[in-house]
């Protein structure tokens, strides 16, 4: 028994050192002292001596640095070089393009929450808030989405003119070039408010402010290009588009077959060195109305007019619309969401080298330019549009569920509808926290490659779920299209966001963990970079440091994962208040579990993990939900820990943690090396899977919160256009909601009088008159019921059309009438 006590004490001491990540030397000293003390107390000299000898045999070669490097690290370096898959140039560029923010802490297994909480609170400037309250509010009041989507298939001319006049296309362009110079947060806020009214409008504004000529010129353009184009892009004299995708290269942008051959040709009457371009692009937003086209192509110099290299690589150029031979103007029709989008073609079109963004010396730098800018644009545009749509769904569906009655009861009271409302409220809370976090990261100067992929995927996927639930709650009201339908077009447009800027399937299975595992891991990238060091001694030294740091990291995460699992995340110092401390502890546990599973997956599967996309996707899910949950906690702190928001935070947090658990379980169940999977399960789930989805009771609280006015509901619908104007049905519904709630007890009095047989009339208005005469309700109450009845009747009504109104103006095969473009 005494021997067991000594061994147990040694294990506890070692485990404590691993848990707290002490140095190797501290581990040796702490374990040796523990063994000696417990051995003396327990009177187990033999066991004590044996353990000390084993400790010395293990520790001595590890503490003798020169010996360790020569006899351990050098052979392992040789093995590592053989099994490590060589990164392609494009993969290397993608890894080097972004920066690592707090997501690196989440991959560490021991997040420093102080790093998150000390980040400045994202806030709009006075000027940005004024723009949101002024031009953005005015623009939303001009928009009729039915006119845009059904009658014009475009924004009306006055809206185009307003966008240009108020420099909506120049939000990201510095003031020195005539732009607005807004923060990423303001950029996001504008898009959210616009998307709450019209996805066509939001997409039109998003594209010039995302990856495209403006962003690329600011970072890589020559002074001449900046001075010419940026002022014209800012005030709308130039409308940009960016041509990347083609029939044979979508998400795999590095495989574009479009090419340019360096050659001599005539330009403006003079012979010059230029490029002869051939390309076939499609799905290009704003192409039909664009005046300047950003183009990605592969550049070749067979005659070596520019240097010794023949294949220069992906290159970016700017082509004026009037470039001879470039065909542009026809339109795609993306799911009845008629933002300007279409193909661009050219064959053997000659342009001078001055069209290259940044000039001839930037030839072949296109892929680096794209991935460096993509992480910024993708962090804002699609997540913001999705968040705006989700916020609108909260207001619209919450109001409708309180107004619409079935069986004499507001449909929001039915448990099936409650379930959908809870998802709408909880997922919207998570989505807005996520989009806010990525915008804040951009404003801090980060290039959030991994968070932008997380935001793009989860914001658009959750928007799809929210739109589906909102349509279910609205029923026939959401199905019948027409001017009175405020849900249908948003529902139709959801798959567009799922598809663009990296299809969601590819983003989840290849990008989030694929980049995160290397970029966010504290040692993997250092180990890989050590392979490229030319000096052998320095290469071994660097690899040795990273390797043994990695080994200690892995042991620590195994111990932390098991310890936090066996204690159900109830131990450990962490951040937060009395309410949220338990949440931070849960994230500590799953951070350690992610780091452990990621390390084991990379160590056991090696390069094969790259092709195990389903495992990578699940590991990416864990990283994503850790990041989203962290964003929610930061939002909760930044808003002053409002007690009213707790049901929303709790619902969204439990949803994230449950999904983390299921993703890890999926990794372990499907891990191809079963003995390793068994060990992982023991370390990650020592007490089994105990996380559960949000409870029905919690869901009921969330549903109640979004179906009645409150500060929490107002925060959830911030940056939504809710002014009760003639063009804004949702705004008028929101304005009527307090009256709807005030009328409920009066309605019960009316029903009571009806059931008693006192009221004989059949028409509702006559019933109100009778009830007032009988004294069942007062005159003010009659007016309230009448006002609510009239308002609700408008909001639940749907459109109908004459057949001639639904026929296409142009039948296929006929010559369309000529029209002037609005832009």
């Amino acid at each position: 028994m005494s021997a067991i006590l000594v061994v147990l004490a040694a294990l506890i001491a070692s485990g404590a050192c691993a848990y707290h990540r002490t140095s190797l030397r501290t581990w040796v000293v702490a374990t040796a002292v523990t063994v000696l003390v417990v051995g003396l107390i327990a009177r187990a000299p033999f066991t004590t001596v044996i353990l000390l000898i084993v400790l010395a045999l293990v520790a001595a070669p590890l503490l003798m640095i020169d010996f360790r490097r020569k006899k351990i690290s050098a052979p392992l370096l040789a093995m590592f070089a053989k099994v490590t898959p060589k990164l392609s140039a494009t993969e290397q560029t993608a890894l080097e393009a972004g920066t690592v923010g707090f997501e690196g802490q989440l991959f560490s297994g021991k997040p420093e929450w102080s790093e998150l909480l000390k980040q400045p609170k994202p806030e709009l400037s006075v000027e940005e808030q004024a723009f949101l309250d002024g031009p953005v509010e005015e623009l939303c009041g001009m928009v009729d989405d039915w006119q845009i989507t059904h009658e014009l298939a475009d924004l009306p001319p006055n809206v185009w003119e307003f966008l240009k006049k108020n420099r909506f296309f120049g939000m990201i362009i510095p003031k020195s070039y005539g732009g607005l110079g807004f923060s990423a947060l303001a950029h996001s806020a504008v898009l959210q408010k616009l998307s709450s009214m019209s996805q066509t409008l939001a997409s039109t504004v998003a594209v010039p402010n995302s990856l495209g000529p403006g962003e690329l010129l600011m970072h890589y353009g020559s002074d001449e290009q900046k001075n010419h184009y940026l002022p014209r892009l800012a005030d709308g004299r130039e409308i940009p588009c960016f041509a990347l995708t083609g029939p044979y290269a979508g998400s795999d942008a590095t495989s574009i077959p479009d090419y340019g051959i360096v050659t001599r040709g005539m330009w403006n009457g003079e012979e010059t060195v230029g490029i002869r371009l051939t390309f076939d692009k499609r799905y290009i937003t704003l192409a039909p109305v664009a005046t300047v086209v950003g183009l990605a192509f592969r550049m070749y110099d067979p005659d070596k007019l520019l240097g010794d290299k023949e294949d220069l690589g992906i290159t970016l150029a700017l082509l004026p619309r009037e470039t001879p031979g470039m065909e542009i103007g026809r339109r795609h029709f993306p799911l009845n969401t008629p933002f300007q989008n279409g193909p661009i073609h050219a064959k053997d079109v000659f342009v001078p080298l001055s069209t290259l963004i940044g000039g001839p010396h930037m030839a072949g730098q296109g892929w680096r330019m794209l991935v460096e800018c993509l992480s910024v644009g993708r962090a804002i545009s699609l997540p913001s549009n999705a968040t705006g749509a989700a916020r609108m769904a909260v207001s619209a569906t919450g109001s409708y569920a309180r107004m619409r009655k079935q069986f004499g009861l507001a449909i929001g009271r039915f448990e099936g509808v409650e379930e959908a409302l809870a998802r709408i409220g909880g997922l919207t809370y998570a989505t807005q926290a996520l989009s806010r976090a990525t915008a804040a990261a951009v404003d801090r100067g980060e290039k959030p490659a991994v968070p932008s992929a997380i935001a793009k995927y989860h914001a658009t996927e959750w928007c799809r779920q929210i739109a589906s639930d909102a349509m279910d709650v609205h029923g026939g009201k959401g199905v019948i299209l027409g001017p009175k339908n405020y849900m249908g077009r948003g529902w139709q447009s959801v798959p567009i966001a799922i598809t663009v800027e990296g299809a969601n399937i590819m983003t989840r299975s290849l990008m989030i963990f694929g980049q995160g595992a290397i970029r966010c891991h504290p040692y993997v990238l250092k180990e890989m970079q050590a392979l490229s060091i030319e000096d052998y001694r320095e290469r071994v030294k660097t690899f040795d440091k990273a390797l043994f740091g990695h080994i200690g990291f892995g042991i620590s995460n195994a111990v932390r994962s098991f310890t936090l699992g066996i204690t159900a995340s109830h131990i450990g110092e962490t951040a937060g208040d009395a309410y949220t401390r338990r949440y931070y502890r849960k994230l500590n546990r799953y951070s350690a579990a992610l780091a452990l599973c990621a390390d084991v997956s990379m160590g056991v599967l090696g390069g094969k993990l790259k092709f195990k996309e389903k495992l990578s996707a699940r590991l990416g899910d864990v990283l994503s939900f850790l990041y989203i949950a962290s964003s929610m906690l930061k939002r909760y702190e930044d808003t002053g820990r409002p007690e009213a928001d707790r049901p929303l935070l709790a619902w969204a947090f439990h949803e994230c943690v449950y999904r983390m658990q299921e993703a890890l379980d999926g990794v372990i169940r499907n891990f191809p090396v079963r003995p390793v999977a068994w060990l992982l399960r023991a370390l990650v789930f020592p007490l089994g899977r105990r996380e559960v989805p949000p409870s029905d009771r919690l869901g009921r609280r969330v549903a109640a919160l979004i179906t009645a006015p409150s500060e929490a509901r107002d925060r959830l619908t911030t940056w939504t256009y809710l002014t009760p104007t003639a063009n804004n049905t949702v705004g008028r519904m929101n304005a009527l909601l307090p009256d709807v709630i005030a009328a409920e007890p009066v309605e019960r009095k009316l029903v009571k009088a009806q059931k008693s047989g006192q009221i004989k009339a059949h028409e509702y208005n006559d019933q109100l008159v009778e009830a007032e005469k009988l004294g069942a309700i007062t005159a003010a109450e009659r007016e309230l019921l009448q006002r609510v009845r009239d308002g609700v009747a408008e909001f639940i009504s749907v459109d109908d059309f004459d057949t001639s109104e639904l026929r296409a103006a142009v039948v296929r095969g006929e010559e369309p009438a000529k029209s002037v473009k609005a832009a």
Side-chain angles (χ1 to χ4, degrees), residues 323-387:
T323 299
M326 184 168 66
E327 298 178 18
I328 182 174
R330 288 181 63 84
R331 293 179 62 179
H332 298 311
F333 191 32
L335 290 176
N336 278 343
T337 307
F339 57 89
Q340 295 284 340
N341 185 278
I344 307 176
H345 315 282
K347 185 172 178 60
D348 293 333
V349 169
F350 183 81
V351 295
L353 290 174
S354 60
T355 59
L356 299 185
I357 295 178
H361 72 282
M362 294 300 287
Q365 299 298 310
W367 177 240
R368 177 177 64 84
M369 295 158 70
L370 286 174
V371 294
E372 286 180 350
C373 290
L374 181 62
S375 62
V376 174
R378 189 167 53 188
I380 307 298
S381 298
L382 290 170
S384 300
N385 285 358
T387 303

Side-chain angles (χ1 to χ4, degrees), residues 311-610:
D311 182 356
L312 297 176
I314 294 175
T315 303
L316 308 184
L318 281 181
L319 307 180
R321 184 186 183 94
E322 60 271 16
T323 299
M326 184 168 66
E327 298 178 18
I328 182 174
R330 288 181 63 84
R331 293 179 62 179
H332 298 311
F333 191 32
L335 290 176
N336 278 343
T337 307
F339 57 89
Q340 295 284 340
N341 185 278
I344 307 176
H345 315 282
K347 185 172 178 60
D348 293 333
V349 169
F350 183 81
V351 295
L353 290 174
S354 60
T355 59
L356 299 185
I357 295 178
H361 72 282
M362 294 300 287
Q365 299 298 310
W367 177 240
R368 177 177 64 84
M369 295 158 70
L370 286 174
V371 294
E372 286 180 350
C373 290
L374 181 62
S375 62
V376 174
R378 189 167 53 188
I380 307 298
S381 298
L382 290 170
S384 300
N385 285 358
T387 303
R391 290 183 191 268
M392 188 279 287
V394 167
S395 183
T397 314
S399 299
Y400 186 83
R402 195 67 181 256
M403 296 176 184
R404 181 65 165 145
K405 290 183 169 56
Q406 294 284 305
F407 308 105
L409 192 67
I411 62 173
R413 303 291 189 188
F414 291 93
E415 288 201 353
V417 175
E418 266 186 1
E419 193 172 27
L421 291 172
R423 279 196 297 269
I424 291 171
L427 293 180
T428 299
Y429 186 88
T431 302
Q432 62 174 274
L434 174 59
S435 64
R436 179 179 179 273
T438 52
V442 173
D443 281 334
R444 291 194 299 272
E446 297 178 21
K447 293 181 178 178
V450 175
S452 70
I454 292 171
K456 190 274 173 180
Y457 175 80
H458 288 280
T460 56
E461 286 292 338
W462 279 345
C463 185
R464 170 156 58 181
Q465 179 65 63
I466 291 166
S468 178
D469 284 325
M471 288 291 286
D472 283 353
V473 173
H474 280 80
K477 170 68 179 178
V479 169
I480 304 301
L481 287 174
K484 296 176 182 176
N485 188 322
Y486 46 82
M487 292 301 307
R489 291 305 196 203
W491 162 251
Q492 285 180 311
S493 71
V494 164
I496 300 170
I498 300 292
T499 302
V500 300
E501 290 194 15
N504 275 11
I505 289 177
M506 304 290 283
T507 300
R508 175 175 177 259
S509 60
L510 294 178
M511 293 182 64
I512 296 175
F513 182 74
Q515 288 191 5
I518 298 176
R519 289 200 58 79
C520 301
H521 196 288
Y523 297 105
V524 168
L525 187 57
K526 294 176 183 177
E527 290 166 340
M528 297 177 73
Q529 290 172 336
L531 297 177
S532 61
I533 298 175
E534 292 187 7
D535 182 76
Y536 178 75
R537 289 176 62 87
E538 187 62 28
R539 182 160 70 245
V540 173
K541 178 182 177 181
T542 303
F543 180 76
D544 172 82
K545 184 177 180 180
L547 172 65
F548 282 93
H550 195 161
I551 292 171
F553 176 77
I555 294 171
S556 173
N557 285 320
V559 172
R560 289 180 63 82
S561 181
F562 179 80
T563 303
L564 294 172
I566 203 75
T567 60
S569 308
H570 284 134
I571 66 167
E573 294 184 6
T574 190
D577 58 15
Y579 179 76
T580 58
R581 199 167 294 127
R582 53 187 171 147
Y583 293 162
Y584 287 99
R585 284 180 175 144
K586 276 192 181 292
L587 296 188
N588 283 341
R589 175 192 174 183
Y590 285 101
S591 172
L594 169 64
L596 172 63
C597 290
D599 263 339
V600 170
S601 297
M602 288 187 286
V604 174
L605 300 178
K608 293 180 181 178
L609 180 59
K610 186 177 180 179

Side-chain angles (χ1 to χ4, degrees), residues 274-343:
I275 317 148
R276 195 165 295 280
L277 294 164
T278 295
F279 56 88
D280 182 15
K281 303 291 189 179
R282 64 181 184 182
Y283 311 151
I284 311 306
T285 299
L286 294 185
V289 296
T291 60
V292 59
V293 177
L295 177 70
F297 63 96
R298 196 164 196 93
M299 188 167 169
Y300 298 92
D301 185 11
D303 298 330
K304 300 185 177 177
L305 298 176
L306 302 180
D308 296 331
K309 197 173 180 181
E310 184 172 335
D311 182 356
L312 297 176
I314 294 175
T315 303
L316 308 184
L318 281 181
L319 307 180
R321 184 186 183 94
E322 60 271 16
T323 299
M326 184 168 66
E327 298 178 18
I328 182 174
R330 288 181 63 84
R331 293 179 62 179
H332 298 311
F333 191 32
L335 290 176
N336 278 343
T337 307
F339 57 89
Q340 295 284 340
N341 185 278

